[in-house]
Amino acid sequence: IMDMEKGTITDIFVYEHRGASPRPVTSCQATVQDGLADDWHGQDVDRQISILSEEAREQKEGFCLKKFKENIRTRGMDLAQVKPGDQLKTSQVTFEITGVFKKCYPDLCPLAQSGKPCLLRDHALFARVSKGGTLHAGDDISREPASK
């Protein structure tokens, strides 16, 4: 059952360099300067962290889904409701959402060609760390909408 505001971090992945295979970790440090410890994505200040729902990953279809490399996978929170400027918080770490994945490749994607909805377009987020700490698989994560 999806709760719009709360969920759980099911998996954390670190990519040591561009093109690297994901290295699953049970916990890691997240810092404002570097994003996740040992992850190369931290070099891009607006896209330090990528977040994807387990529900979208289970879709299994689509050109982009095969290419998308999330750092954090969540379950239970409706990521389609999350907007840039919102914050996602665990007990220690705060992420500020900087973008939502919207790019589509209809010429390359059988899912788009079939007209089926792609969960990646609404359930894949980019974020930066605004408050550092230790992140654990199994942590509760909650959404705090941006103040208007």
Side-chain angles (χ1 to χ4, degrees):
I1 296 174
M2 287 240 196
D3 178 318
M4 287 191 20
E5 306 296 333
K6 290 183 172 37
T8 305
I9 293 175
T10 58
D11 300 281
I12 303 169
F13 301 99
V14 171
Y15 300 85
E16 290 169 2
H17 56 82
R18 188 178 188 100
S21 294
R23 180 167 55 90
V25 296
T26 55
S27 66
C28 70
Q29 287 301 117
T31 66
V32 172
Q33 298 79 16
D34 300 317
L36 297 186
D38 302 323
D39 187 85
W40 78 272
H41 294 95
Q43 298 163 18
D44 182 343
V45 72
D46 287 328
R47 290 187 167 193
Q48 284 180 330
I49 312 286
S50 55
I51 303 168
L52 185 67
S53 70
E54 190 173 69
E55 294 83 0
R57 181 52 73 195
E58 287 169 353
Q59 176 179 281
K60 298 207 185 329
E61 295 179 82
F63 174 75
C64 300
L65 195 59
K66 291 180 183 80
K67 295 170 66 77
F68 192 81
K69 309 276 193 253
E70 69 270 26
N71 295 115
I72 296 170
R73 195 176 296 163
T74 66
R75 179 179 55 234
M77 181 188 297
D78 186 357
L79 296 185
Q81 302 302 315
V82 179
K83 306 287 180 254
D86 288 358
Q87 293 187 333
L88 298 182
K89 295 182 172 187
T90 69
S91 61
Q92 289 191 29
V93 180
T94 302
F95 301 105
E96 180 185 335
I97 302 305
T98 56
V100 178
F101 185 90
K102 290 288 186 191
K103 196 165 186 178
C104 188
Y105 300 90
D107 50 327
L108 299 171
C109 181
L111 187 66
Q113 290 166 6
S114 74
K116 291 182 193 168
C118 175
L119 293 178
L120 190 65
R121 293 187 69 171
D122 298 318
H123 290 251
L125 307 172
F126 295 106
R128 65 179 185 82
V129 177
S130 55
K131 178 176 171 273
T134 307
L135 196 63
H136 302 272
D139 278 352
D140 290 332
I141 189 165
S142 60
R143 171 180 170 241
E144 195 170 284
S147 48
K148 300 280 182 259

